[in-house]
Amino acid sequence: MMSGRFLSILKEVLAATVIAMVILAAWVLSNSATTFVYQGY
Amino acid sequence: MIRLLDRWHTEPLWPSWSSLIRVLLLAGLLTAAGGSVLSNLPDTGLVSMFDSRLSANASMASVERARPVGFRDVAAPPGHVAWIAGSSINMRLTDQRGRVGWRLLPDIVASRLNRTGMETHVSIYLLQAAALYETLLAVEHARSGDPAAIVVAVNPWWVFNTHAISRWENLRAIGLGLVPREVGTLGLHLAQMRPGQLVDFGLGRISGMPIAGYALNLKAQTALNRWNPAVRQERKVPKPIEQMTGPDFWRAYSGAETTSEYFAMATSMDEDQLNHRILRRIVKSLAAFDGPAAVYVPPLNPAYLRKEGIAEIAADIGDEVERVVAVHGDGMVRFWDHPGLHPPAGAYRDHLHLKDKGRLDRTFAILVKRLVLEGNEEGR
């Protein structure tokens, strides 16, 4: 029973970490990749 | 351990609501914690690129493309000159040693004025694709910073067409991410916003995080587009007519007989047109500013005008901007047109941008100096 509870907590932490990492990765990518690309106008 | 892993698969698949909430709360906490660390990462965007090369006489209030939630706090001293332009001030110059680099016209002008003994600091707004609405927000922001003078460039590319705000993917609706300073503009602002943008805008303001819709960056897009047959195909055909800015449209259709309603709309200088209303608002805002202000239209490459046969339309645009300044400027706003502001065809890299500053910096230095001095004399 104890291990089941532990597992469900672990899964929750894992899910939360994945969500946070995806958001942060998108953020870093969008910040670091904005090289000046000349387009005219 | 083995038993634990066995049970991993036998745990119920569907989480409870409370579990979901715990996951989301924890994800929010982790994002905020990670974000606070990552926000200190150096920005490698457009603004930083220019920022690092500016002289001490200039500072950048420009929005950053990845975080278009406001203008950057300007470190400009009181009595600075606010210069609101767009890409027309980006110059690709070759120095005496043959090195090529990007420079900004206002920075060169400020340096020149400082060398001649007139202490000048410029605050530069908007570096690219400044459609009129973004220019209006910049004017309102600049006014609140106590400048000695405001200089506004009205790019013929962006005036009198249907693009009140920038529509490029990587710049999309930057203007809408900014907060208007005046109540009258707020109405215009909200009227242009779509529900999704309102949410983006709110979240961006609260979190300081880049807004999803804006953060689409060109590099990632270019990489993705490489594998996208639809985009590859699209590049071979002209842009859809609705996505063309005025001169794009003229270039594609000049000389052609057309009765297109879009043509009429895109090139209309009608007073009811949204961009015309925004231009009037810009000029009125400058007139209400308690200092001198000037508006100029960056000239297009004369070779381009000849080739495309659109000189008349470009001249009409200049005339109309001048007329609006004369009528709505209450005599307080100058319109700059000077032979020295028209570089020869050889100085251009393309239709608008320069590779040779020629006498442009000298002419602008004289105009800016006169503008500031006149403002001082009038005690405005």
Side-chain angles (χ1 to χ4, degrees):
Chain A
M1 198 59 203
M2 202 46 200
S3 60
R5 179 98 190 112
F6 174 69
L7 268 180
S8 67
I9 291 172
L10 198 63
K11 279 183 181 176
E12 285 180 19
V13 171
L14 199 66
T17 309
V18 168
I19 293 171
M21 279 175 70
V22 168
I23 295 171
L24 291 172
W27 185 22
V28 169
L29 193 77
S30 64
N31 264 319
S32 62
T34 44
T35 316
F36 177 53
V37 179
Y38 184 78
Q39 289 192 320
Y41 305 102
Chain B
M1 190 64 195
I2 304 282
R3 273 183 55 208
L4 259 178
L5 287 176
D6 272 349
R7 292 199 54 174
W8 184 271
H9 302 287
T10 56
E11 283 291 303
L13 192 61
W14 298 104
S16 62
W17 284 111
S18 60
S19 157
L20 267 182
I21 290 166
R22 278 197 302 274
V23 167
L24 288 178
L25 281 177
L26 189 58
L29 274 176
L30 288 173
T31 309
S36 67
V37 176
L38 292 173
S39 61
N40 296 323
L41 286 176
D43 175 64
T44 54
L46 176 66
V47 175
S48 315
M49 193 198 91
F50 278 110
D51 234 359
S52 59
R53 293 175 197 192
L54 287 184
S55 72
N57 308 318
S59 53
M60 204 88 85
S62 191
V63 284
E64 294 182 67
R65 291 191 292 181
R67 298 168 63 88
V69 288
F71 288 103
R72 296 180 348 147
D73 287 330
V74 192
H80 64 277
V81 175
W83 197 309
I84 299 160
S87 69
S88 62
I89 56 168
N90 300 351
M91 299 194 293
R92 191 103 170 116
L93 302 182
T94 309
D95 70 7
Q96 286 159 345
R97 288 189 216 161
R99 288 175 308 187
V100 182
W102 293 101
R103 291 293 307 275
L104 293 172
L105 175 67
D107 184 23
I108 300 175
V109 171
S111 298
R112 195 181 175 94
L113 284 169
N114 273 280
R115 279 203 304 278
T116 60
M118 181 183 171
E119 204 177 310
T120 311
H121 189 101
V122 285
S123 173
I124 302 168
Y125 284 78
L126 302 171
L127 294 173
Q128 253 190 318
L132 275 192
Y133 190 64
E134 281 114 54
T135 303
L136 170 62
L137 294 175
V139 167
E140 292 186 1
H141 187 271
R143 277 183 55 188
S144 66
D146 193 23
I150 302 179
V151 176
V152 178
V154 175
N155 186 339
W157 230 260
W158 290 101
V159 68
F160 307 129
N161 58 54
T162 55
H163 293 231
I165 54 172
S166 176
R167 288 190 187 175
W168 295 353
E169 283 302 321
N170 65 326
L171 292 165
R172 189 181 288 275
I174 274 185
L176 295 186
L178 303 172
V179 185
R181 298 276 166 142
E182 290 174 19
V183 180
T185 310
L186 189 65
L188 196 64
H189 203 73
L190 295 175
Q192 290 185 80
M193 272 188 159
R194 289 180 296 230
Q197 283 172 327
L198 270 173
V199 173
D200 273 357
F201 175 70
L203 286 178
R205 296 297 308 176
I206 294 163
S207 66
M209 294 266 280
I211 300 164
Y214 305 148
L216 279 175
N217 69 77
L218 216 61
K219 245 187 184 173
Q221 276 186 52
T222 312
L224 290 173
N225 285 345
R226 201 169 295 157
W227 290 288
N228 185 342
V231 171
R232 282 215 307 264
Q233 187 58 37
E234 195 180 301
R235 288 221 180 93
K236 292 180 190 154
V237 298
K239 261 189 239 175
I241 201 167
E242 304 77 25
Q243 289 175 21
M244 288 179 173
T245 56
D248 270 340
F249 187 88
W250 307 329
R251 188 158 45 178
Y253 290 89
S254 68
E257 288 289 324
T258 174
T259 52
S260 159
E261 276 179 34
Y262 185 79
F263 180 84
M265 190 168 63
T267 57
S268 161
M269 295 182 198
D270 197 277
E271 299 244 331
D272 294 336
Q273 202 223 62
L274 179 63
N275 267 356
H276 204 294
R277 283 181 8 228
I278 295 173
L279 179 66
R280 292 202 299 272
R281 207 172 171 85
I282 289 173
V283 173
K284 283 176 184 167
S285 186
L286 290 174
F289 164 57
D290 56 357
V295 174
Y296 71 96
V297 177
L300 298 174
N301 184 345
Y304 165 77
L305 296 180
R306 257 199 315 275
K307 195 166 130 203
E308 311 295 344
I310 57 173
E312 294 80 10
I313 306 178
D316 284 351
I317 285 184
D319 291 347
E320 181 62 11
V321 174
E322 186 173 7
R323 191 190 70 80
V324 171
V325 169
V327 173
H328 299 281
D330 293 339
M332 302 297 186
V333 185
R334 279 82 167 162
F335 181 82
W336 281 347
D337 194 11
H338 188 278
L341 297 184
H342 293 268
Y348 285 86
R349 300 176 57 233
D350 52 30
H351 49 268
L352 176 70
H353 307 97
L354 294 164
K355 61 182 177 189
D356 180 1
K357 65 183 171 59
R359 291 163 54 206
L360 205 58
D361 58 331
R362 202 169 72 184
T363 312
F364 268 116
I366 293 167
L367 289 169
V368 169
K369 187 172 185 175
R370 198 183 294 158
L371 186 71
V372 173
L373 291 180
E374 278 172 11
N376 290 345
E377 277 170 21
E378 288 167 19
R380 297 184 80 218

